[in-house]
Amino acid sequence: CLTLRGESIMVSFKTFLLTLVLYMLQGAGTSLIKLNNNGYEDVVIAINPDLPEDENLIQEIQNIVTEASTYLYQATEKRFYFKGVSILIPKTWKTKPDYQKPKLEIYDNADIFIEVPNPPGYNVPRTDQIRECGKMGERIHLTPDIILNKMVKEYGPPGKILVHEWAHLRWGVFEEYNEEEPFYKCSDAITGTNKVNVCSGGSCSIRSCRTDPNTGKFQKECLFIPDRGQTEKASIMFMQSIDSVVEFCRKENHNKDAPNAQNRKCNLRSTWEVIQDSEDYKTSTPMTAAQPPKPSFSLKQIGERILCLVLDKSGSMASGDRLNRLKQASKLFLLQIIEKGSWVGMITFDSAATIQSDLVQIETDDQRNTLITKLPGIASGGTSICSGLRAAFTAIRKKFSTDGAEIVLLTDGEDSTIRTCFEEVRQSGAIIHTVALGPSADRALEELSKLTGGKRTTPTDNAQNNGLIDAFSALSSGNGMITQRSIQLESKGATLKDGEWMNGTVIIDNTIGNDTLFLVTWTANQPQISVSDPSGKIYSNFSVDTNSKMAYLQIPDTAKDGIWTYSLKSSAQTLTMTVTSRAANPSVPPITVDAKMNENNSSFPSPVIAYAEVRQGSLPIIGANVTALIESADGTTVTLDLLDNGAGADAYKNDGVYSRYFTAYKTDGRYSLKVRALGGTNTQKSRPQVNGALYVPGWVENGEIKMNPPKPEISEDEIQGNNLSFSRTSLGGSFILTNIPSGPIPDIFPPNQIIDLEANIEDNHINLTWTAPGDNYDEGQAQYYIIRMMNTSDFIPNDANSKEVFMFEPVDLTIENGTTVFFAIKAVDKANLTSPISNIAQASLYVPEVPAGVSISTIVLSVVGAVAGICIIAGVTLCILNKNKR
């Protein structure tokens, strides 16, 4: 029996343990969603703070979730429905008595975002998916026009749209349509017509589609326009907008020939097969009721940020300069990172805890500086983590509820009693961010952050890597006001010999520049410091704190955009440079970088993948140089170039998500991810990758074609060309690897699956192109390729991520008009490990009537990622069909 806030609460340890296990099983995602007796609970829907206040929007969100719940229930054979949903209401909207305070719900970690269309009118529903088939997606994006039933003709009822997107998010399925090849349908029973809508001078006309004389296919502008009245029930992932569609595509009616993402990424499995393989499906049984229970809704309004620092000052903090580094990082946080208007308190602990400062609202620099004076100066005593947490709860409750309050817990020690307060932590509703400093920090810290939805970081004792400052720099508010957050531009360190220099440059782009700060730390003596702006103006008026061995420069007003340089000359010691800034314009989102691993906990030999999303608002940034720095517990760092090439670990080319497999680990333990992104000559904004409901160009109603408005597109002006120069660093938190063999790591990683194989035919030759896999996933060089129609062992693979081109003339095969050839490929490494079979590429030869004087070599052949059923049944990698497929 625990006594908490004057109430006697009986706690079932088994129930608590089950809750903790469920949280730990959620992987690297920050979603709170749980499946409880067939119902999805703790679904979080967040309204963007830039949207104008609209009570009707809140009501319509509830209406579409209720509608979607019934639709989901029927589509999954009475297996799933929406049970509990929280709607996060912006702080800027009026407060109301029925609005609750959020607990673990954070804007940044929401599952569904209702946001401003970017650009205006771009109401495309979509789901961010960066991982492989069957893995949970990142987030769903909807706009008010979708919610308010203004896009029903184009996308269908909003409840059905939500179920389409939910399948992306929860079960990791993909689209069953391809806008480049719109004539392949999940089910041939879906009827409609193929037409071209020609618009000019404000008027439009409809004409019949024409066949491309070179390919035999309909020309690109041809559209598939479905009949309004249908009887076919599948498929939700193809065209949920059709009234009769109420099912996911199943094995029995799945079109394996269709050149869509579902076939390419899920090895030709139907969406229902993927759903059946999910843990949700395996751990549930169908219900019997005709209709699901109604969802329950909680309206929760984001409020002022409430945060308490809980800092370890035990005896072990005296080693490795840890206490001083704690002061440096905490001072940066209090000076620069914590947002104006936030409430901040401070607790220090060793074997007992002391409230150094009750909650203070940050309005002036004096309040920040007063808090800085409370930072610990002497390290001594034991380690009682629960004492620190309980003192934080006490300090917070003097003014507020602990629901949704944040606690930053930093410790370097072990505490055998840490789990005795886990239930108090869970009951508190507080979010705990853990900073595990050094190799001996308690292993249960990650459980605390996972249980409460907090961030987890593991800085090492290697001061050169700047890990502790990075950990505190990453603690900006996650509640939606992106233009108010501190953004890290630079984080570097160096160990110098006497008289050496540490020089560098930082790009301040036009999306940031307010509240810019340069911070320098050292381990022995104050270095010479110089900073110059793009015009050559030199800044040397740093504020110096000799006791904490740090100096900082705050740039007044808005920093000049361009390349800034810094130069540090020093005696023999370790130096670090950190640069942070904020948005230059409250109405223009800054360029951001968000880093993460595919899993927070991985067991060898499961694949480990690093990701970095580079965006400005909703627009991806492509062509950047993105580097991951992965640091192990001993301070050793491995560098990976992350790629946005749609190959290997990367799900989609040019979607602003840069990815790479990580295999260069050596021991069990904690690892930390940090990402650097640099924009330059070839960097630009791009259109969002759309994994979402299909836009319907029009409908055939009673034999009459009724066109919808043309689908909005993002113009070149909104993308603004190349040469988007910027610099960013971002901490991706920590992850734990286990079961790594001692000694040399065995070679058990095969080449990654090839997913971008393409083929075409010219004259009597077949051309194949793909991105080369590596020896270990996407690293190194494979040994050879397998194409079963011939011996290709003499074709030496290029280095991973290079473009491969292979042209050959088939033996004993006559390519004639109407021939369609299917290809697949495997890579083999030096350990004779083979990659999974690639996507299936199709090349077709279509020879039109050739006018006199025209060479047949001018015929261009189209390629799609399709496969004939015979390829799978026979288990071969080459199929030939002597017919024209369209």
Side-chain angles (χ1 to χ4, degrees):
C1 180
L2 295 176
T3 300
L4 185 63
R5 283 187 259 178
E7 298 173 345
S8 182
I9 302 171
M10 295 301 298
V11 178
S12 166
F13 180 75
K14 289 183 178 179
T15 300
F16 166 66
L17 184 60
L18 175 60
T19 302
L20 179 60
V21 168
L22 288 172
Y23 274 106
M24 297 300 288
L25 288 175
Q26 289 180 26
T30 49
S31 174
L32 301 175
I33 298 171
K34 297 189 297 291
L35 181 64
N36 183 10
N37 293 328
N38 299 89
Y40 289 109
E41 297 178 330
D42 297 330
V43 180
V44 179
I45 301 176
I47 300 174
N48 189 287
D50 291 331
L51 286 171
E53 186 163 355
D54 183 357
E55 288 186 28
N56 189 40
L57 183 65
I58 298 173
Q59 183 58 54
E60 286 301 321
I61 290 172
Q62 296 176 67
N63 291 343
I64 73 159
V65 171
T66 303
E67 173 191 331
S69 184
T70 300
Y71 186 52
L72 178 67
Y73 187 71
Q74 302 299 336
T76 59
E77 300 176 340
K78 301 182 179 181
R79 198 174 284 267
F80 306 120
Y81 69 99
F82 293 119
K83 186 175 185 180
V85 176
S86 294
I87 301 174
L88 284 184
I89 297 166
K91 177 183 175 183
T92 52
W93 290 21
K94 294 176 184 177
T95 59
K96 293 196 172 182
D98 58 335
Y99 291 172
Q100 304 172 29
K101 187 177 181 181
K103 292 187 177 181
L104 306 185
E105 302 90 354
I106 301 175
Y107 181 92
D108 280 3
N109 296 345
D111 306 296
I112 303 169
F113 289 88
I114 314 301
E115 58 191 14
V116 179
N118 182 24
Y122 192 75
N123 294 291
V124 179
R126 60 189 174 87
T127 302
D128 294 336
Q129 291 180 272
I130 67 175
R131 301 204 286 171
E132 61 268 33
C133 179
K135 298 293 186 179
M136 188 168 175
E138 304 301 302
R139 60 196 76 87
I140 294 170
H141 301 266
L142 302 174
T143 66
D145 279 1
I146 294 288
I147 301 298
L148 299 174
N149 288 284
K150 296 180 180 180
M151 305 297 293
V152 174
K153 289 183 178 180
E154 293 86 349
Y155 292 105
K160 297 182 77 173
I161 295 172
L162 180 55
V163 172
H164 178 106
E165 304 305 328
W166 184 261
H168 284 302
L169 178 76
R170 185 65 185 179
W171 302 308
V173 301
F174 292 87
E175 302 301 356
E176 291 181 336
Y177 65 83
N178 182 342
E179 290 188 295
E180 298 299 317
E181 297 279 347
F183 317 109
Y184 286 87
K185 302 185 290 291
C186 171
S187 170
D188 289 334
I190 291 178
T191 60
T193 186
N194 301 311
K195 296 292 182 181
V196 175
N197 190 32
V198 181
C199 297
S200 177
S203 62
C204 298
S205 62
I206 299 171
R207 64 170 174 79
S208 297
C209 291
R210 296 173 182 170
T211 302
D212 187 319
N214 294 327
T215 66
K217 295 175 178 285
F218 285 134
Q219 292 180 328
K220 186 176 181 180
E221 63 270 19
C222 189
L223 304 171
F224 174 70
I225 304 171
D227 292 328
R228 174 63 81 178
Q230 305 267 358
T231 58
E232 175 59 31
K233 294 183 177 181
S235 167
I236 291 169
M237 300 312 292
F238 173 67
M239 197 175 282
Q240 84 295 322
S241 50
I242 294 174
D243 291 340
S244 65
V245 168
V246 293
E247 295 178 353
F248 291 100
C249 200
R250 298 164 187 267
K251 184 177 182 179
E252 296 76 24
N253 59 0
H254 178 58
N255 181 4
K256 294 180 179 179
D257 286 346
N260 57 41
Q262 176 66 22
N263 276 331
R264 187 172 69 254
K265 293 181 175 295
C266 298
N267 294 322
L268 308 173
R269 291 181 297 161
S270 68
T271 53
W272 188 244
E273 289 175 274
V274 175
I275 293 169
Q276 287 178 309
D277 281 343
S278 70
E279 285 301 310
D280 289 356
Y281 190 95
K282 293 175 180 177
T283 57
S284 64
T285 55
M287 299 172 67
T288 57
Q291 298 292 323
K294 295 291 186 183
S296 64
F297 296 94
S298 300
L299 306 183
K300 300 188 175 184
Q301 186 169 30
I302 294 169
E304 295 166 329
R305 192 179 190 193
I306 301 164
L307 183 142
C308 201
L309 295 173
V310 178
L311 307 175
D312 187 350
K313 69 176 191 68
S314 63
S316 57
M317 289 292 292
S319 65
D321 202 29
R322 290 175 186 167
L323 192 66
N324 190 61
R325 291 174 58 216
L326 177 155
K327 292 169 67 176
Q328 293 170 346
S330 299
K331 187 170 181 177
L332 171 66
F333 178 77
L334 293 170
L335 281 174
Q336 181 73 4
I337 307 302
I338 189 67
E339 298 80 8
K340 186 177 180 179
S342 301
W343 291 83
V344 181
M346 187 185 299
I347 311 296
T348 59
F349 71 93
D350 42 47
S351 53
T354 302
I355 299 177
Q356 297 293 346
S357 175
D358 287 323
L359 292 176
V360 175
Q361 190 169 28
I362 303 296
E363 296 289 355
T364 67
D365 288 343
D366 287 343
Q367 291 166 325
R368 296 178 186 270
N369 290 325
T370 298
L371 281 166
I372 288 169
T373 65
K374 307 291 186 181
L375 291 169
I378 299 174
S380 64
T383 303
S384 178
I385 293 171
C386 286
S387 294
L389 293 175
R390 290 176 178 131
F393 296 153
T394 298
I396 293 167
R397 287 173 183 149
K398 289 180 181 180
K399 287 187 178 292
F400 302 101
S401 161
T402 50
D403 286 343
E406 298 173 72
I407 293 173
V408 179
L409 171 62
L410 181 150
T411 183
D412 71 339
E414 294 179 295
D415 179 0
S416 61
T417 66
I418 184 173
R419 287 182 172 83
T420 63
C421 60
F422 272 24
E423 179 58 16
E424 291 174 75
V425 168
R426 189 180 70 83
Q427 293 281 351
S428 75
I431 298 164
I432 299 182
H433 309 295
T434 57
V435 184
L437 177 59
S440 300
D442 201 287
R443 298 294 169 178
L445 289 172
E446 283 82 2
E447 296 175 40
L448 275 174
S449 58
K450 186 64 180 178
L451 180 65
T452 63
K455 297 178 181 178
R456 48 192 279 183
T457 54
T458 58
T460 69
D461 286 329
N462 189 340
Q464 177 179 320
N465 291 340
N466 211 26
L468 193 51
I469 283 177
D470 290 339
F472 277 77
S473 297
L475 292 172
S476 291
S477 171
N479 273 329
M481 305 297 285
I482 183 64
T483 58
Q484 297 180 11
R485 295 184 202 170
S486 178
I487 295 173
Q488 194 176 53
L489 313 183
E490 176 75 300
S491 172
K492 286 187 178 178
T495 298
L496 306 181
K497 297 178 181 177
D498 191 32
E500 287 188 332
W501 290 81
M502 174 178 160
N503 300 314
T505 60
V506 180
I507 300 172
I508 295 185
D509 59 276
N510 60 11
T511 70
I512 47 109
N514 284 348
D515 200 17
T516 301
L517 180 138
F518 288 75
L519 173 73
V520 177
T521 71
W522 56 89
T523 55
N525 302 307
Q526 181 182 338
Q528 297 178 27
I529 309 172
S530 175
V531 171
S532 61
D533 70 13
S535 69
K537 180 181 177 180
I538 296 176
Y539 296 80
S540 56
N541 54 329
F542 277 69
S543 297
V544 179
D545 181 349
T546 54
N547 291 330
S548 298
K549 300 176 183 175
M550 61 186 292
Y552 62 91
L553 169 70
Q554 290 181 309
I555 305 299
D557 303 319
T558 302
K560 187 183 293 291
D561 63 282
I563 299 175
W564 289 62
T565 63
Y566 60 84
S567 297
L568 312 177
K569 186 180 181 182
S570 173
S571 58
Q573 61 176 328
T574 297
L575 307 179
T576 71
M577 170 64 83
T578 305
V579 184
T580 64
S581 188
R582 282 185 165 85
N585 186 329
S587 63
V588 178
I591 295 170
T592 58
V593 176
D594 294 307
K596 65 180 294 182
M597 301 300 295
N598 65 321
E599 301 289 346
N600 283 332
N601 299 275
S602 292
S603 177
F604 180 87
S606 297
V608 182
I609 304 172
Y611 300 107
E613 293 185 69
V614 188
R615 302 184 182 278
Q616 184 182 3
S618 62
L619 298 181
I621 304 296
I622 64 174
N625 292 318
V626 182
T627 304
L629 306 172
I630 298 179
E631 183 182 11
S632 58
D634 64 2
T636 303
T637 300
V638 173
T639 301
L640 287 176
D641 291 328
L642 305 187
L643 303 174
D644 186 14
N645 62 353
D650 194 59
Y652 290 98
K653 185 176 182 178
N654 290 339
D655 66 346
V657 180
Y658 299 73
S659 318
R660 202 71 183 272
Y661 286 101
F662 171 56
T663 59
Y665 40 74
K666 290 182 169 54
T667 59
D668 286 359
R670 291 171 167 138
Y671 290 75
S672 183
L673 170 66
K674 177 176 171 179
V675 165
R676 291 189 179 130
L678 187 66
T681 304
N682 297 317
T683 308
Q684 66 180 69
K685 287 185 284 187
S686 183
R687 296 169 177 82
Q689 173 71 42
V690 177
N691 308 305
L694 176 64
Y695 184 92
V696 181
W699 297 93
V700 180
E701 299 184 27
N702 299 318
E704 180 184 356
I705 296 175
K706 296 182 179 180
M707 298 301 296
N708 290 325
K711 181 180 178 180
E713 298 292 345
I714 297 177
S715 68
E716 293 300 322
D717 290 340
E718 287 153 334
I719 295 175
Q720 297 178 349
N722 294 343
N723 198 24
L724 193 63
S725 296
F726 65 90
S727 57
R728 297 288 188 274
T729 63
S730 176
L731 192 67
S734 64
F735 59 101
I736 296 174
L737 300 182
T738 56
N739 294 324
I740 299 174
S742 58
I745 303 295
D747 187 355
I748 63 170
F749 302 118
N752 63 259
Q753 182 184 20
I754 296 166
I755 59 175
D756 62 348
L757 177 64
E758 296 183 359
N760 62 56
I761 302 172
E762 289 185 16
D763 297 333
N764 292 321
H765 292 82
I766 296 174
N767 295 335
L768 302 179
T769 61
W770 65 93
T771 301
D775 176 65
N776 297 323
Y777 297 130
D778 57 6
E779 185 69 31
Q781 185 178 13
Q783 195 79 355
Y784 62 93
Y785 296 113
I786 296 174
I787 304 175
R788 291 186 182 175
M789 67 177 295
M790 64 185 64
N791 180 3
T792 58
S793 60
D794 293 334
F795 182 75
I796 306 301
N798 282 320
D799 290 336
N801 302 299
S802 302
K803 201 67 180 177
E804 298 279 30
V805 178
F806 182 44
M807 177 183 287
F808 65 96
E809 183 174 353
V811 180
D812 299 327
L813 169 63
T814 301
I815 300 177
E816 58 188 28
N817 191 23
T819 297
T820 295
V821 188
F822 293 89
F823 295 93
I825 190 169
K826 288 184 178 183
V828 184
D829 69 9
K830 59 180 179 294
N832 211 34
L833 300 171
T834 61
S835 69
I837 193 169
S838 72
N839 66 294
I840 311 300
Q842 168 188 315
S844 300
L845 179 63
Y846 176 79
V847 183
E849 294 183 6
V850 182
V854 177
S855 168
I856 196 171
S857 64
T858 64
I859 297 171
V860 179
L861 300 161
S862 72
V863 183
V864 296
V867 63
I870 190 172
C871 295
I872 302 307
I873 296 168
V876 299
T877 56
L878 171 68
C879 293
I880 303 165
L881 301 179
N882 286 312
K883 66 178 181 179
N884 184 36
K885 289 190 73 68
R886 184 162 67 199

